[in-house]
Amino acid sequence: MSNQQNLEGKKIAILATDGFEQSELVQPKDMLTEQGATVEILSIDDQSSITAWNEGNWGKQISVDAQVSSVSPSDYDALVLPGGQINPDILRTNSDAVSFIKQAHAEPRIKALAAICHGPWLLVESELARNSTVTSFPSIKTDLINAGATWKDEQVVQDGKLVTSRNPDDIPAFVEKISLTLQIGRASCRERV
């Protein structure tokens, strides 16, 4: 990607807990950081670190920067929701996490609310899937359709500020769409000034 350092001054939150798909947190975090963004890991239940799920086994431990209950969506320009089966299943039963996602969608500063793989389960729980066009890991397609979404089998789907992708193979397109959405947000802010 030729637009290195295009996210200077942007602050991005990644919300996750134990059992997140390792590549779906680590790769976007690294790619967005390389472009100049500040990326913070948010979690729940006073966790100081969270453990990845990686190819059928527990993987890396990642340090948590803040608890979702102690920050505001207005602190960020984007929110990323990695998948894995365990991570979103735990988060969707946590009222602080679900509330944060709903508030993030309503927050004007947040230009991208991005979910990959099983992460869109959180869009179902936060009632953001209804009347939206999304993609996801195929096994949760029916959950999204039953929640009122239109589901597409594409690398990346954007509907307003919602950005969704299917699996780790889609990460480059997923991150590129997040980056472009934040750049467009920056350009439109400049035009208004």
Side-chain angles (χ1 to χ4, degrees), residues 41-113:
I41 307 301
L42 308 182
S43 197
I44 57 171
D45 300 332
D46 295 324
Q47 293 171 296
S48 60
S49 66
I50 52 178
T51 305
W53 190 254
N54 188 33
E55 299 179 15
N57 292 296
W58 291 104
K60 278 186 174 182
Q61 279 209 326
I62 304 288
S63 294
V64 170
D65 296 300
Q67 300 303 303
V68 72
S69 58
S70 69
V71 294
S72 168
S74 63
D75 297 335
Y76 301 98
D77 299 289
L79 173 61
V80 178
L81 305 171
Q85 291 178 324
I86 300 166
N87 165 61
D89 201 40
I90 293 170
L91 288 177
R92 67 183 177 160
T93 64
N94 181 282
S95 60
D96 289 335
V98 173
S99 175
F100 188 87
I101 293 164
K102 286 181 180 180
Q103 290 169 27
H105 189 259
E107 169 56 47
R109 179 176 171 184
I110 290 191
K111 302 302 179 204
L113 199 169

Side-chain angles (χ1 to χ4, degrees), residues 15 79 81 88 91-106 113-115 119-132 134 143-144 147 162 164:
L15 175 56
L79 173 61
L81 305 171
L91 288 177
R92 67 183 177 160
T93 64
N94 181 282
S95 60
D96 289 335
V98 173
S99 175
F100 188 87
I101 293 164
K102 286 181 180 180
Q103 290 169 27
H105 189 259
L113 199 169
W121 258 343
L122 294 163
L123 303 181
V124 171
E125 196 63 38
S126 58
E127 300 175 353
L128 299 175
R130 184 177 293 120
N131 300 320
S132 296
V134 297
D143 296 343
L144 286 157
L162 295 181
T164 51

